[in-house]
Coordinates of all heavy atoms in Angstrom, one line a residue:
T1210 N -15.7 0.8 -1.3 CA -15.5 2.1 -0.9 C -14.4 2.2 0.2 O -14.5 1.6 1.2 CB -16.8 2.7 -0.4 OG1 -17.7 2.8 -1.4 CG2 -16.6 4.1 0.2
A1211 N -13.4 3.0 -0.1 CA -12.3 3.1 0.8 C -11.3 4.2 0.3 O -11.4 4.6 -0.8 CB -11.5 1.8 1.0
V1212 N -10.3 4.5 1.1 CA -9.2 5.2 0.7 C -8.1 4.2 0.2 O -7.8 3.3 1.0 CB -8.6 6.2 1.8 CG1 -7.3 6.9 1.3 CG2 -9.6 7.2 2.2
Y1213 N -7.6 4.3 -1.0 CA -6.7 3.4 -1.5 C -5.3 4.0 -1.5 O -5.1 5.2 -1.9 CB -7.1 3.0 -2.9 CG -8.2 2.0 -3.0 CD1 -9.5 2.5 -2.7 CD2 -8.0 0.7 -3.3 CE1 -10.6 1.6 -2.7 CE2 -9.1 -0.2 -3.4 CZ -10.4 0.2 -3.1 OH -11.4 -0.6 -3.1
Y1214 N -4.4 3.2 -1.0 CA -3.0 3.7 -0.9 C -2.0 2.8 -1.7 O -2.3 1.6 -1.8 CB -2.5 3.6 0.6 CG -3.3 4.4 1.6 CD1 -4.5 3.9 2.2 CD2 -2.9 5.7 1.9 CE1 -5.2 4.6 3.1 CE2 -3.7 6.4 2.8 CZ -4.8 5.9 3.4 OH -5.5 6.6 4.3
C1215 N -1.0 3.3 -2.2 CA 0.1 2.5 -2.8 C 1.3 2.6 -1.8 O 1.4 3.6 -1.1 CB 0.5 2.9 -4.2 SG 1.2 4.5 -4.4
A1216 N 2.0 1.6 -1.8 CA 3.2 1.5 -0.9 C 4.3 0.8 -1.6 O 4.1 -0.2 -2.3 CB 2.8 0.8 0.4
K1217 N 5.5 1.2 -1.3 CA 6.7 0.6 -1.9 C 7.4 -0.3 -0.9 O 7.6 0.0 0.3 CB 7.7 1.7 -2.2 CG 9.0 1.2 -2.9 CD 10.0 2.4 -3.1 CE 10.7 2.8 -1.9 NZ 11.6 1.7 -1.4
K1218 N 7.7 -1.5 -1.4 CA 8.5 -2.5 -0.6 C 9.9 -2.0 -0.6 O 10.4 -1.3 -1.4 CB 8.4 -3.9 -1.2 CG 7.2 -4.7 -0.8 CD 7.6 -5.5 0.5 CE 6.5 -6.5 0.8 NZ 6.9 -7.3 2.0
Q1219 N 10.7 -2.5 0.4 CA 12.1 -2.3 0.5 C 12.8 -3.2 -0.5 O 14.0 -3.0 -0.8 CB 12.6 -2.6 1.9 CG 12.1 -1.6 2.9 CD 12.7 -2.0 4.3 OE1 12.7 -3.1 4.7 NE2 13.1 -1.0 5.0
Y1220 N 12.1 -4.2 -1.1 CA 12.8 -5.2 -1.9 C 12.0 -5.4 -3.2 O 10.9 -4.8 -3.4 CB 12.8 -6.5 -1.2 CG 13.3 -6.4 0.2 CD1 12.5 -6.5 1.3 CD2 14.7 -6.1 0.5 CE1 13.0 -6.4 2.6 CE2 15.1 -5.9 1.8 CZ 14.3 -6.1 2.8 OH 14.7 -5.9 4.1
S1221 N 12.5 -6.2 -4.1 CA 12.0 -6.3 -5.4 C 10.8 -7.3 -5.5 O 10.0 -7.2 -6.4 CB 13.1 -6.8 -6.4 OG 13.6 -8.1 -6.0
M1222 N 10.7 -8.2 -4.5 CA 9.6 -9.1 -4.5 C 8.6 -8.8 -3.4 O 8.9 -8.1 -2.4 CB 10.1 -10.5 -4.2 CG 11.1 -11.0 -5.3 SD 10.4 -11.0 -7.0 CE 9.2 -12.4 -6.8
C1223 N 7.3 -9.2 -3.6 CA 6.3 -8.8 -2.7 C 6.4 -9.3 -1.3 O 6.3 -8.6 -0.4 CB 4.9 -9.3 -3.3 SG 4.4 -8.3 -4.8
G1224 N 6.6 -10.6 -1.2 CA 6.8 -11.2 0.1 C 5.5 -11.1 1.0 O 4.4 -11.0 0.4
P1225 N 5.7 -11.1 2.3 CA 4.5 -11.0 3.2 C 3.8 -9.7 3.1 O 4.4 -8.6 2.8 CB 5.0 -11.3 4.6 CG 6.4 -11.7 4.4 CD 6.9 -11.2 3.1
W1226 N 2.5 -9.7 3.4 CA 1.8 -8.4 3.6 C 2.2 -7.7 4.8 O 2.5 -8.3 5.8 CB 0.3 -8.7 3.6 CG -0.3 -9.3 2.4 CD1 -0.9 -10.5 2.3 CD2 -0.5 -8.7 1.1 NE1 -1.4 -10.8 1.0 CE2 -1.1 -9.6 0.3 CE3 -0.1 -7.5 0.6 CZ2 -1.4 -9.4 -1.1 CZ3 -0.4 -7.2 -0.8 CH2 -1.0 -8.2 -1.6
D1227 N 2.1 -6.4 4.8 CA 2.2 -5.5 5.9 C 3.6 -5.5 6.6 O 3.7 -5.2 7.8 CB 1.1 -5.8 7.0 CG -0.2 -5.3 6.5 OD1 -0.3 -4.3 5.9 OD2 -1.2 -6.0 6.8
V1228 N 4.6 -5.9 5.9 CA 6.0 -5.8 6.4 C 6.9 -5.2 5.3 O 6.6 -5.5 4.1 CB 6.5 -7.1 6.9 CG1 5.8 -7.6 8.1 CG2 6.5 -8.2 5.7
D1229 N 7.9 -4.5 5.6 CA 8.9 -4.0 4.7 C 8.4 -3.0 3.7 O 9.0 -2.9 2.6 CB 9.6 -5.2 4.1 CG 10.4 -6.1 5.1 OD1 10.9 -5.5 6.0 OD2 10.3 -7.3 4.9
F1230 N 7.3 -2.3 4.0 CA 6.9 -1.2 3.2 C 7.4 0.1 3.8 O 7.1 0.4 4.9 CB 5.4 -1.2 3.0 CG 4.8 -2.3 2.2 CD1 4.3 -3.4 2.8 CD2 4.8 -2.2 0.8 CE1 3.7 -4.4 2.1 CE2 4.3 -3.2 0.1 CZ 3.7 -4.3 0.7
D1231 N 8.3 0.7 3.1 CA 9.0 1.9 3.7 C 8.5 3.2 3.3 O 8.8 4.3 3.8 CB 10.5 1.8 3.5 CG 10.9 1.7 2.0 OD1 10.0 1.9 1.1 OD2 12.1 1.5 1.7
T1232 N 7.6 3.3 2.3 CA 7.1 4.5 1.8 C 5.6 4.3 1.4 O 5.3 3.4 0.7 CB 7.8 5.0 0.5 OG1 9.2 5.0 0.8 CG2 7.4 6.5 0.2
W1233 N 4.8 5.3 1.8 CA 3.3 5.2 1.5 C 2.9 6.5 0.9 O 3.4 7.6 1.2 CB 2.5 5.0 2.8 CG 2.8 3.6 3.4 CD1 3.9 3.2 4.1 CD2 1.9 2.5 3.4 NE1 3.7 1.9 4.6 CE2 2.5 1.5 4.1 CE3 0.6 2.3 2.9 CZ2 1.9 0.2 4.3 CZ3 0.0 1.1 3.1 CH2 0.6 0.1 3.8
G1234 N 1.9 6.4 0.0 CA 1.3 7.6 -0.5 C 0.2 8.2 0.4 O 0.0 7.6 1.5
Q1235 N -0.4 9.3 0.0 CA -1.4 9.9 0.8 C -2.8 9.4 0.7 O -3.6 9.7 1.5 CB -1.4 11.4 0.4 CG -2.3 11.8 -0.8 CD -1.7 11.3 -2.1 OE1 -0.5 11.0 -2.2 NE2 -2.6 11.2 -3.1
G1236 N -3.0 8.5 -0.3 CA -4.3 7.9 -0.5 C -5.1 8.6 -1.5 O -5.0 9.8 -1.7
T1237 N -6.0 7.9 -2.1 CA -7.0 8.5 -3.0 C -8.4 7.8 -2.7 O -8.5 6.6 -2.6 CB -6.6 8.3 -4.5 OG1 -7.5 8.9 -5.4 CG2 -6.5 6.8 -4.9
Q1238 N -9.4 8.6 -2.7 CA -10.7 8.2 -2.2 C -11.5 7.5 -3.4 O -11.6 8.1 -4.4 CB -11.5 9.3 -1.7 CG -12.9 9.0 -1.3 CD -13.0 8.1 0.0 OE1 -12.4 8.5 1.0 NE2 -13.7 7.0 -0.1
V1239 N -11.9 6.3 -3.1 CA -12.8 5.6 -4.0 C -14.2 5.4 -3.3 O -14.2 4.9 -2.3 CB -12.3 4.2 -4.4 CG1 -13.3 3.5 -5.3 CG2 -11.0 4.4 -5.2
T1240 N -15.2 5.9 -4.0 CA -16.6 5.8 -3.4 C -17.4 5.1 -4.4 O -17.6 5.6 -5.6 CB -17.1 7.2 -3.0 OG1 -16.3 7.8 -2.1 CG2 -18.5 7.0 -2.4
V1241 N -18.0 4.0 -4.0 CA -18.9 3.3 -4.9 C -20.3 3.4 -4.4 O -20.6 2.8 -3.3 CB -18.5 1.8 -5.1 CG1 -19.4 1.1 -6.1 CG2 -17.0 1.7 -5.5
S1242 N -21.2 4.1 -5.1 CA -22.5 4.4 -4.6 C -23.4 4.7 -5.7 O -23.0 5.3 -6.7 CB -22.5 5.5 -3.6 OG -23.8 5.9 -3.1

């Protein structure tokens, strides 16, 4: 259960987490209950 976001890297490869993401969505709520 969380808000799930997608984010775009500045580059073509994934690389490290939490760096070089320049655009984020607003999120979509997933609730498991």
Side-chain angles (χ1 to χ4, degrees):
T1210 296
V1212 178
Y1213 284 72
Y1214 302 88
C1215 65
K1217 181 183 79 66
K1218 273 273 190 178
Q1219 294 178 317
Y1220 314 108
S1221 62
M1222 301 300 293
C1223 288
W1226 297 114
D1227 288 323
V1228 295
D1229 297 321
F1230 291 98
D1231 59 8
T1232 310
W1233 294 75
Q1235 83 291 340
T1237 186
Q1238 177 70 51
V1239 173
T1240 302
V1241 185
S1242 177

